[in-house]
Amino acid sequence: MAMEALEGIYVIVSTPFDERGRLDEESFATLLDATVGAGVQGVTILGVAGEAQRLSDAERDRLLARAMQAIGGRVPVIVGASHDGTDVTIERTRAAAQAGAAGVMIAPPAFGKVGKGLIEHYRRIGAEGGLPIVLQDYPPVNGVTMSPQFMAELVAAVPEVATIKLEDPPTALRMRQTRALGAERITFQGGLSGLYLLDELRAGASGAMTGFPYPEVLLEIWQSFRAGDEERAAATYYRHLPLILLDGQPGLGVAARKEILVRRGQIRTATVRQPGLGLDERAKRDLHALLDHLELDARHPGAAKPERATAAAGKV
């Protein structure tokens, strides 16, 4: 499935583990099927929200193969391929291409310097990896802050960069600035659980890539805005903002997300791999009370199927 620029809602899929912290591949397949069934335009595996940094290379290979099998070409698959070494990143990109992925998401190497060396890192990946690139701009992952000017220069130098997943606030402002500096050919995606999605759409974002566990909510916001109904998009966003804030909190967001996925019947346990933290009993009660208040499960039982935009078919 050919990849162009991202458009729509792409879910960064959690990696399920059993009670002992081992991969739960059956839950992974169930979660992928439910996510696609929700109507999203694509999925991303092996991202930070998928605890990729806590996986072995063998586990990455198993999850990549299982994801491609479970999805079966229904939507594009983006694969997180970030690594501090250029050659290893190229190897991961080639493996994703061989498996049938539509593209790779790549963040800069940890604490790398912004400049010619970083541009060369991405240039080689694009030229030798065989897949389009989603540039991940998220400094908490690697300590690298890219200015709008630098991102525009990188896009100009590396034609394989198709989209910037921009997660360094103020996101909407930085999207506008980067585009104005010459990055008109690409699209921009938000992240951060959809925290700034409404402002990002107003700034011209084409959607979002995030692991928020109710993708139906983000789809409703995106589809309403795209249809010209900004009032409905805003109402949906404001209604769910408390949950978006909770899901996006540093340190415990992945644990809360997994607790919700268990509640939805999409994974079996909410285990987070060490040294990640789980929720204590009070946090669990508060989370479920919020979900009860929002009546999300009544409105979105399991995997609902809102209309998928045909314009995004075949795109990422």
Side-chain angles (χ1 to χ4, degrees):
M1 185 174 291
M3 174 180 169
E4 298 178 13
L6 268 67
E7 182 180 348
I9 302 301
Y10 296 77
V11 174
I12 301 177
V13 181
S14 294
T15 301
F17 303 107
D18 66 15
E19 293 85 349
R20 295 172 57 186
R22 300 171 301 189
L23 286 184
D24 182 353
E25 294 185 46
E26 186 175 338
S27 284
F28 187 57
T30 299
L31 177 58
L32 286 164
D33 192 58
T35 302
V36 173
V40 299
Q41 281 67 49
V43 300
T44 299
I45 64 168
L46 303 176
V48 174
E51 300 176 75
Q53 68 278 17
R54 299 171 185 150
L55 299 171
S56 69
D57 288 343
E59 288 173 328
R60 286 179 54 91
D61 292 342
R62 285 164 55 190
L63 290 173
L64 174 57
R66 191 64 183 260
M68 301 310 298
Q69 179 186 37
I71 291 174
R74 288 178 288 171
V75 296
V77 178
I78 308 302
V79 178
S82 302
H83 192 276
D84 288 350
T86 304
D87 290 334
V88 177
T89 309
I90 292 170
E91 289 176 7
R92 289 183 173 183
T93 302
R94 287 173 173 169
Q98 186 173 6
V104 285
M105 179 175 66
I106 299 174
F111 302 103
K113 292 185 178 180
V114 171
K116 293 181 179 179
L118 186 53
I119 290 178
E120 178 64 10
H121 173 74
Y122 279 98
R123 188 201 65 76
R124 281 196 57 202
I125 296 166
E128 301 175 36
L131 282 178
I133 297 169
V134 177
L135 171 63
Q136 185 177 18
D137 173 42
Y138 185 41
V141 172
N142 48 37
V144 179
T145 298
M146 297 183 287
S147 68
Q149 180 65 53
F150 177 78
M151 288 189 288
E153 292 173 2
L154 195 154
V155 167
V158 185
E160 291 80 11
V161 173
T163 293
I164 297 178
K165 177 171 150 58
L166 202 158
E167 300 181 277
D168 186 12
T171 55
L173 175 61
R174 298 180 76 244
M175 286 178 186
R176 289 194 296 267
Q177 291 174 336
T178 305
R179 182 180 291 109
L181 288 166
E184 298 96 344
R185 70 170 178 82
I186 66 166
T187 59
F188 293 85
Q189 291 269 295
L192 302 174
S193 298
L195 181 57
Y196 306 112
L197 179 56
L198 190 59
D199 284 339
E200 289 163 353
L201 291 172
R202 289 166 174 163
S206 64
M209 181 191 291
T210 177
F212 186 69
Y214 284 95
E216 302 91 338
V217 171
L218 302 185
L219 276 164
E220 185 175 334
I221 296 169
W222 175 72
Q223 289 171 334
S224 296
F225 191 92
R226 187 169 173 270
D229 191 349
E230 187 172 336
E231 183 176 352
R232 181 180 177 187
T236 304
Y237 171 78
Y238 295 137
R239 174 177 174 80
H240 298 95
L241 190 54
L243 180 59
I244 291 171
L245 286 167
L246 188 154
D247 180 75
Q249 64 181 322
L252 285 179
V254 171
R257 184 173 296 171
K258 285 189 164 182
E259 183 73 17
I260 293 171
L261 294 174
V262 170
R263 174 177 167 128
R264 303 197 78 188
Q266 295 176 4
I267 62 176
R268 285 185 285 208
T269 76
T271 304
V272 177
R273 264 199 176 167
Q274 293 183 343
L277 299 175
L279 301 181
D280 60 24
E281 290 304 314
R282 178 55 189 266
K284 289 180 183 179
R285 290 198 302 272
D286 291 345
L287 170 60
H288 287 282
L290 174 58
L291 295 174
D292 291 341
H293 173 74
L294 292 173
E295 298 180 328
L296 270 166
D297 297 301
R299 290 182 290 118
H300 300 295
K305 296 184 179 179
E307 180 183 356
R308 182 179 295 128
T310 56
K315 295 185 178 182
V316 182

